[in-house]
Amino acid sequence: MSSPQPNYQRQFGHKAPTCNPQNTGARRQRYTTTQARNSSPPEDGTSPWPEMPTLSTNPTPYQIFQLDKTAPYKKARFYELVKLYHPDRHGHCCDFPHIDSLPHDTKMKRYRLIVAANNILSDPIKRRAYDLWGAGWTNHTDVGGAPNTQDPGMKTRWSGFHDNGSPAGNATWEDWEKWYRRGTPDHQSPVYCSNGEFISFVAFVVFLSAIWQASRVDGHQKRFNEQVELIHDDASKNLHQRRSETRELSNDKAILRFVRAREHGGTPRYPRYPGTNTYIVGTGSQRLLIDTGEGKPSWSECLSSILTSERTTISDALLTHWHPDHVGGVNDLLKLCPDAQIHKHTATDGQLPIEDGQNFTTQGAVLRALHCPGHTTDHMALVLQEEDAMFTGDNVLGHGTAVFEDLSTYMASLQRMHEQFSGRAYPGHGEVIDDGRQRIIEYIEHRQQREREVLHVLTEARQSSSLQKEDVSEGGRTPMEMVKIIYNDVPDTLHEPAARGVEQVLYKLAEEGKVVRSEDGQTWLIAGPSSSGM
């Protein structure tokens, strides 16, 4: 049963045109078209439709456009065929009466084939897919059997399943893909969840990521602190050695020797923190200055600019200790403020001594001196009573740990400093510390942790020797052996300064009677009855 002819009158708003040459009595109404141009046969003189053995046999895309498989596709014949078979042209193909005489369904089928063939051949990807597998022609089996079965020599993986009248002829490409993969496991179906479950999952992932990131940062910080400590231990050992070498020299000669060694020593053995903090204390026309920097011209220029803008001068300069990066700018200060008094715990020519507990008063501030040896023997801290804060010098820094000459003395000074204030700490290097007491506690706990690690290593060495029934002297460890256990994640290049830091810990533990040194002076042992004769 043929389908009724579409009502083109509704689509275009006027009567459907006719082109029946025998209906000469009826008034003709035609579309506005160029008959002489648009209704002409193809320019190459070919038939408008390829001849097939039967009407039910459909041509291939190449046969429709009479195109060789290797030839490039051009749309000229497509346009000509569309003009002949387009639904709007039905009944107007006077140049091809046999086309008008075809049933409407046949003309519609041919038109669909023309459009489908154009879609395949005009797209290189679709054309290749058609050439290889007959893809794209399957959807048109309702107008012509199996895909590309009429193409000579063409065989596809669907061959044999598209005989006319077979239900397989109505299958889409998705159906054929499912049939082709019928032996493979089914793909996993998507999993759906509610918005609340999804948000909970994302929050859980973020939480785990935050924990991992925090542990990673903590590990990096721990390694950084250990390396900084090794650097400080190395510096402490060097300072202790220099102090021993210059013990019999005057302060001026000792400072001169230190400066010359640094200037002619090439690359420094350990990095120095950038710059020394200088503090101007007070609000009046005469103020106090804490430390004078390294003596660089930039420091002098900065100080001069501040004094000029504040319309003030320096009456007293308080030096926390003798290191050149804290006393190097004294001469520059005296050029700017000739009447300034210079104060240091161990005073030299022209300087005044600083006593423990001494107060220095200026308008708006009172500073109380605190002798706290450790970084150096003459080291002083200053308590700012108005803020209950402390200028810690180099005993406590704004970053990392501090260098010290003697660990026992340094630990005692840290404990004393902790008891003298409760506010901020203004260090000699680095940023201001909001909770100064907490930073001091961290310093103390860090040093105590190192002591526990050293004692643990020596205790294990003694137990191992006892189990093996060896001589007790075999249960000791050298500082380098302890370093390889305690600092096992530190590069070998830093083991030597670490060993000197361990020696500092051992000297302190020896003073406390917790460890002893062997007779050969190379190894250390845990103190106890079995080591009393060592």
Side-chain angles (χ1 to χ4, degrees), residues 62 65-75 121-122 127:
Y62 292 104
F65 297 122
Q66 298 183 355
L67 181 69
D68 187 75
K69 284 188 178 181
T70 59
Y73 175 69
K74 298 181 180 179
K75 290 192 174 183
L121 298 184
S122 62
R127 180 174 180 176

Side-chain angles (χ1 to χ4, degrees), residues 293-346:
E294 303 179 24
K296 293 182 178 180
S298 58
W299 178 85
S300 177
E301 294 171 0
C302 179
L303 178 63
S304 176
S305 175
I306 293 175
L307 295 179
T308 300
S309 62
E310 295 287 334
R311 297 182 180 179
T312 187
T313 186
I314 300 299
S315 61
D316 297 270
L318 312 179
L319 306 178
T320 57
H321 58 290
W322 65 268
H323 283 172
D325 58 334
H326 291 258
V327 304
V330 169
N331 291 334
D332 293 330
L333 170 64
L334 293 176
K335 291 178 182 178
L336 296 173
C337 307
D339 297 330
Q341 296 289 329
I342 310 299
H343 301 262
K344 186 159 64 70
H345 179 266
T346 305

Side-chain angles (χ1 to χ4, degrees), residues 34 155 233 295 335 337 346 419 421 439 453 491 503:
T34 308
K155 288 186 178 181
D233 290 342
K335 291 178 182 178
C337 307
T346 305
E419 299 169 354
F421 75 112
R439 179 61 61 87
E453 291 172 347
E503 287 180 358

Side-chain angles (χ1 to χ4, degrees), residues 69 89 131:
K69 284 188 178 181
R89 300 284 296 167
D131 291 341

Side-chain angles (χ1 to χ4, degrees), residues 221-237 239 270-274 321 323 325-326 374-375 379 392-405 407 410-411 414 417 427-431 433 438-450 487 497-498 501 504-505:
Q221 184 65 32
K222 181 180 178 181
R223 288 191 292 271
F224 173 78
N225 290 337
E226 288 178 349
Q227 293 187 4
V228 170
E229 181 188 354
L230 292 178
I231 293 172
H232 288 166
D233 290 342
D234 185 27
S236 177
K237 185 67 176 180
L239 289 174
Y270 57 90
R272 293 182 296 121
Y273 293 126
H321 58 290
H323 283 172
D325 58 334
H326 291 258
H375 180 68
H379 195 279
T392 60
D394 283 4
N395 265 10
V396 178
L397 303 178
H399 40 218
T401 55
V403 177
F404 51 87
E405 293 181 350
L407 181 56
Y410 178 61
M411 292 288 283
L414 288 177
M417 292 170 64
H429 301 273
E431 300 296 328
I433 306 166
Q438 179 61 33
R439 179 61 61 87
I440 294 177
I441 291 176
E442 293 173 2
Y443 270 41
I444 294 174
E445 290 179 347
H446 180 70
R447 294 300 168 190
Q448 290 174 344
Q449 174 65 23
R450 287 290 180 245
Y487 298 94
Q504 291 267 358
V505 176

Side-chain angles (χ1 to χ4, degrees), residues 3 13 82 119 155 171 183 216 283 291 307 346 391 489 503:
S3 60
V82 167
N119 290 337
K155 288 186 178 181
R216 185 167 175 264
T283 58
D291 287 333
L307 295 179
T346 305
F391 296 93
D489 58 344
E503 287 180 358

Side-chain angles (χ1 to χ4, degrees), residues 242-251 253-254:
R242 295 294 180 92
R243 182 174 178 79
S244 299
E245 294 174 355
T246 60
R247 184 168 296 170
E248 298 180 357
L249 300 176
S250 65
N251 282 342
K253 292 182 178 180

Side-chain angles (χ1 to χ4, degrees), residues 113-392:
L113 286 173
I114 293 169
V115 174
N118 173 71
N119 290 337
I120 292 174
L121 298 184
S122 62
D123 187 329
I125 297 176
K126 293 181 180 179
R127 180 174 180 176
R128 177 172 174 78
Y130 169 79
D131 291 341
L132 293 176
W133 305 294
W137 208 237
T138 307
N139 293 334
H140 304 284
T141 54
D142 61 329
V143 292
N148 206 25
T149 54
Q150 304 302 324
D151 195 352
M154 171 63 70
K155 288 186 178 181
T156 71
R157 65 186 184 187
W158 296 284
S159 298
F161 297 95
H162 298 280
D163 297 335
N164 289 337
S166 171
N170 294 323
T172 63
W173 68 270
E174 293 95 339
D175 298 328
W176 284 112
E177 286 296 328
K178 291 180 181 178
W179 178 87
Y180 182 73
R181 287 184 281 181
R182 65 190 181 279
T184 59
D186 293 338
H187 294 285
Q188 182 178 1
S189 59
V191 179
Y192 299 95
C193 65
S194 65
N195 291 340
E197 292 174 344
F198 177 74
I199 294 174
S200 300
F201 173 77
V202 172
F204 179 72
V205 172
V206 171
F207 177 72
L208 291 181
S209 301
I211 293 177
W212 175 80
Q213 186 69 13
S215 61
R216 185 167 175 264
V217 171
D218 183 67
H220 282 295
Q221 184 65 32
K222 181 180 178 181
R223 288 191 292 271
F224 173 78
N225 290 337
E226 288 178 349
Q227 293 187 4
V228 170
E229 181 188 354
L230 292 178
I231 293 172
H232 288 166
D233 290 342
D234 185 27
S236 177
K237 185 67 176 180
N238 290 336
L239 289 174
H240 185 73
Q241 181 180 356
R242 295 294 180 92
R243 182 174 178 79
S244 299
E245 294 174 355
T246 60
R247 184 168 296 170
E248 298 180 357
L249 300 176
S250 65
N251 282 342
D252 291 339
K253 292 182 178 180
I255 293 174
L256 181 60
R257 177 171 178 169
F258 181 88
V259 172
R260 287 177 177 174
R262 187 171 67 175
E263 289 178 351
H264 300 288
T267 303
R269 294 183 63 188
Y270 57 90
R272 293 182 296 121
Y273 293 126
T276 301
N277 293 338
T278 296
Y279 299 95
I280 300 174
V281 182
T283 58
S285 60
Q286 292 190 341
R287 303 182 185 181
L288 304 177
L289 177 68
I290 300 177
D291 287 333
T292 62
E294 303 179 24
K296 293 182 178 180
S298 58
W299 178 85
S300 177
E301 294 171 0
C302 179
L303 178 63
S304 176
S305 175
I306 293 175
L307 295 179
T308 300
S309 62
E310 295 287 334
R311 297 182 180 179
T312 187
T313 186
I314 300 299
S315 61
D316 297 270
L318 312 179
L319 306 178
T320 57
H321 58 290
W322 65 268
H323 283 172
D325 58 334
H326 291 258
V327 304
V330 169
N331 291 334
D332 293 330
L333 170 64
L334 293 176
K335 291 178 182 178
L336 296 173
C337 307
D339 297 330
Q341 296 289 329
I342 310 299
H343 301 262
K344 186 159 64 70
H345 179 266
T346 305
T348 58
D349 295 340
Q351 297 178 349
L352 300 175
I354 302 178
E355 302 295 339
D356 184 57
Q358 182 178 353
N359 288 334
F360 295 88
T361 303
T362 186
Q363 182 177 338
V366 175
L367 296 176
R368 176 167 53 85
L370 178 70
H371 184 217
C372 47
H375 180 68
T376 62
T377 56
D378 68 336
H379 195 279
M380 301 294 297
L382 298 159
V383 178
L384 179 58
Q385 296 185 3
E386 283 72 18
E387 293 186 11
D388 196 17
M390 177 179 286
F391 296 93
T392 60

